Amino acid sequence: MRFTRFILIFGLGTLVASAQQEVRIDANGTTSPFPHFWEEMFGSGRAILTLRDSYLKDLEAVKAVTNFSYMRFHAILHDEVGVYNEDEHGNPVYNFAYVDQIYDGLLKHGVRPFVEISFMPKKLAFNPDALHPFWYKPNVSPPKSWEKWDGMIAAFARHLLERYGVEELAQWYFEVWNEPNIDFWGGIPRQRSYFELYDHTARDLKSVSPRLRVGGPSTAAAAWIPEFLKHAAENHVPVDFVSSHAYADDTVEDLFGTNEDIPMDDRVCRAVAKLKNQIQGSPMPKLPLLLTEWNVPGMNNSRDTSFVGSALANTIRECDGLTDAMSFWTFSDVFEEGGPIPKPFVGMFGLRAKGGINKPSYYAFDLLHKLGDQRVANPDSNVIVTKRKDGGLAIALWNLVDPGKTGGTKKVRLVFENVPNNAEVGVSRVDDDHGNTVAAYRALGSPQYPTENQVEKMNAATKLPPPSQVHLAGNHLDLDLEPNALVLVEVSPAR
């Protein structure tokens, strides 16, 4: 339960009241499983980027602090990957040389592919000029021939099966297309033509091995799920998982079809809850739900700031128990949807800025990775209490203040039960004074093209130190959280 107390400060004839939040934590309280669903998977631009040294360095860095398992990206079938061609007689010619390099590179780093099957090879496109406005111009046309599409997908799957084996491939995911409900799909009518694409692709994959996991519809703004599952059930089309997307700055109308006043901080998990309920009410009520794209609000370049940590923690708290995995878009600013990024810190999605600079979000993911795998029941809206396998506690707390808004320092008292009095605890934080690479960047004069030496200086200056070791004052710990501070408190198990 939550208590509020007042600290009275006297001085110069004035009386100031400062509210303090009191959070009670019982080390022996009721627990529930707490899988780290927020760091199971990341998104990352498009396939060909995986062959870059900068991409792989960012992958190594993010893997080191999250130990994530899957990577998702667009455009494995884009012409720059070279999968599909035709000879002078119009016969298909396949080339999986770059596909092998892409997937081998992920596996070498301990990451499995989450295979998004997109976009259309130009020579297979019904409309070769149906190009999306992204800088790399993916083709969003349906295929000119379903027979040739089927042949390509089956050849793709057979090649992967021969190279990696069924036991490995059965642990991958195959997702059909990306956001077909908006301009990433040019079929007419959109929904019905996408369902045809899904039907062909799912059956093609299963014809190679029934153990391959296939799903969709990978829609923007949590759309089409009831229709998709109804169609699949009525037509006996295989579906192993449901995927969709939701961003905190998607509109309420797009996400829910209403004009409700829903704060951005709550929209992602409201959308996830909607999707979960739709699956449970469908003919396939037990399918896993994977949110294969999401991110926090992005106004005012907020994704480069400490705001991400507090918004991420709040989303984890709200989405716990609703989804099997959430894929943060993206792990890195090695990203070219709008063309090459001109300089670091332009509000892009990733955990690392251009040049391999660790953002506050990188450090926030690092802290939250240290949470335990059992959640201890707690009603507070800015606290996650967890227990680790060794019996110790890991507690995340934060002071969320949205971009463009102002907020003061939050005073919090943690009151412990079934923890030894005066116990030593570790305290780590990400805020404007800890892990703030934007400040370090500005201190160097905000160079447009930082040198490797400058990047090393920024990462060294912002690297999180070991946790501060403090003692409980009897049974409690007082903390001050400045706006958007994310704090991790670690309590060692009783000896």
Side-chain angles (χ1 to χ4, degrees):
M1 54 195 306
R2 180 189 300 173
F3 298 89
T4 301
R5 64 175 62 202
F6 292 92
I7 300 173
L8 302 183
I9 305 173
F10 296 90
L12 301 177
T14 62
L15 177 66
V16 180
S18 176
Q20 183 184 55
Q21 177 187 2
E22 189 169 283
V23 178
R24 305 192 73 88
I25 297 170
D26 184 356
N28 294 336
T30 302
T31 63
S32 57
F34 189 59
H36 286 203
F37 59 91
W38 68 92
E39 58 180 1
E40 178 71 6
M41 177 181 9
F42 280 94
S44 68
R46 73 188 196 279
I48 205 70
L49 297 176
T50 67
L51 301 184
R52 294 193 189 166
D53 182 63
S54 56
Y55 180 103
L56 294 175
K57 286 180 177 176
D58 285 356
L59 187 156
E60 290 173 354
V62 174
K63 175 74 173 178
V65 298
T66 65
N67 198 29
F68 72 100
S69 299
Y70 290 92
M71 186 73 84
R72 174 185 179 269
F73 41 74
H74 306 318
I76 193 66
L77 301 179
H78 192 286
D79 285 336
E80 63 191 353
V81 180
V83 169
Y84 184 88
N85 205 343
E86 292 182 356
D87 65 18
E88 63 273 19
H89 303 295
N91 299 313
V93 177
Y94 309 123
N95 184 340
F96 300 113
Y98 281 177
V99 168
D100 292 347
Q101 290 182 43
I102 288 166
Y103 292 153
D104 286 358
L106 293 184
L107 293 168
K108 181 180 178 181
H109 288 84
V111 176
R112 288 192 167 97
F114 189 100
V115 181
E116 176 200 301
I117 297 175
S118 67
F119 289 100
M120 194 60 61
K122 187 174 182 179
K123 288 191 176 179
L124 186 52
F126 175 80
N127 179 5
D129 298 320
L131 304 181
H132 190 275
F134 276 173
W135 182 72
Y136 62 93
K137 298 296 185 287
N139 189 291
V140 298
S141 169
K144 65 183 180 183
S145 161
W146 285 115
E147 181 181 3
K148 290 183 176 180
W149 174 266
D150 292 338
M152 179 185 66
I153 296 300
F156 176 64
R158 281 195 302 270
H159 175 78
L160 296 178
L161 191 68
E162 291 166 4
R163 187 172 185 86
Y164 302 110
V166 68
E167 295 302 325
E168 172 61 33
L169 211 60
Q171 298 180 73
W172 297 18
Y173 294 88
F174 292 83
E175 181 185 45
V176 181
W177 216 254
N178 175 72
E179 298 189 345
N181 58 319
I182 58 173
D183 61 354
F184 290 101
W185 175 243
I188 301 173
R190 265 205 175 109
Q191 188 180 91
R192 190 172 71 196
S193 62
Y194 169 74
F195 289 170
E196 186 175 17
L197 176 79
Y198 182 87
D199 297 352
H200 276 268
T201 309
R203 288 169 174 150
D204 296 338
L205 292 169
K206 293 290 188 179
S207 72
V208 173
S209 172
R211 294 184 63 188
L212 300 188
R213 296 186 291 192
V214 61
S218 188
T219 40
W224 285 10
I225 302 307
E227 299 91 335
F228 172 69
L229 294 177
K230 181 174 183 289
H231 166 84
E234 290 177 350
N235 294 278
H236 308 290
V237 185
V239 181
D240 296 305
F241 63 90
V242 173
S243 66
S244 192
H245 305 162
Y247 286 82
D249 41 18
D250 283 341
T251 68
V252 172
E253 183 177 2
D254 284 346
L255 286 170
F256 308 108
T258 71
N259 293 315
E260 299 171 82
D261 182 14
I262 302 175
M264 286 189 180
D265 300 318
D266 300 328
R267 290 180 193 175
V268 168
C269 295
R270 281 279 294 269
V272 171
K274 181 191 86 167
L275 296 171
K276 183 77 168 179
N277 289 335
Q278 289 174 339
I279 294 170
Q280 291 176 338
S282 79
M284 305 177 184
K286 297 187 182 300
L287 287 176
L289 170 60
L290 308 177
L291 195 72
T292 51
E293 286 185 28
W294 82 278
N295 206 307
V296 303
M299 66 284 286
N300 302 332
N301 287 356
S302 59
R303 292 175 179 141
D304 291 335
T305 72
S306 60
F307 165 73
V308 178
S310 55
L312 169 63
N314 182 66
T315 302
I316 292 169
R317 179 187 66 84
E318 290 187 352
C319 285
D320 179 26
L322 298 177
T323 176
D324 293 81
M326 297 178 69
S327 180
F328 192 83
W329 185 265
T330 59
F331 87 105
S332 166
D333 282 359
V334 177
F335 187 79
E336 294 175 347
E337 287 182 354
I341 294 173
K343 61 181 181 179
F345 302 112
V346 292
M348 295 304 295
F349 300 99
L351 274 59
R352 301 189 97 205
K354 174 187 172 184
I357 307 167
N358 297 330
K359 295 187 190 181
S361 55
Y362 173 88
Y363 297 118
F365 268 92
D366 185 9
L367 286 192
L368 293 167
H369 178 68
K370 296 177 172 64
L371 291 172
D373 61 359
Q374 293 289 316
R375 186 170 175 183
V376 181
N378 184 278
D380 291 271
S381 62
N382 63 320
V383 178
I384 300 173
V385 182
T386 67
K387 182 175 282 190
R388 294 171 171 165
K389 288 182 172 64
D390 64 2
L393 298 176
I395 303 143
L397 56 156
W398 57 92
N399 179 12
L400 178 60
V401 179
D402 286 333
K405 296 186 178 180
T406 58
T409 297
K410 180 185 286 288
K411 296 182 178 295
V412 180
R413 170 167 287 187
L414 304 181
V415 180
F416 293 89
E417 299 175 21
N418 296 305
V419 170
N421 280 354
N422 307 314
E424 186 177 57
V425 300
V427 179
S428 305
R429 60 179 69 220
V430 174
D431 56 25
D432 286 348
D433 298 316
H434 303 82
N436 185 359
T437 330
V438 177
Y441 177 65
R442 289 172 180 159
L444 289 175
S446 303
Q448 182 172 358
Y449 305 107
T451 65
E452 289 188 14
N453 182 257
Q454 288 174 318
V455 171
E456 289 174 4
K457 284 183 178 179
M458 284 184 273
N459 286 343
T462 57
K463 181 180 179 180
L464 297 186
S468 299
Q469 298 300 314
V470 298
H471 287 86
L472 301 183
N475 71 338
H476 67 267
L477 175 67
D478 290 335
L479 296 165
D480 290 345
L481 278 64
E482 65 178 57
N484 286 317
L486 171 66
V487 174
L488 180 73
V489 177
E490 298 173 271
V491 183
S492 298
R495 300 298 181 189

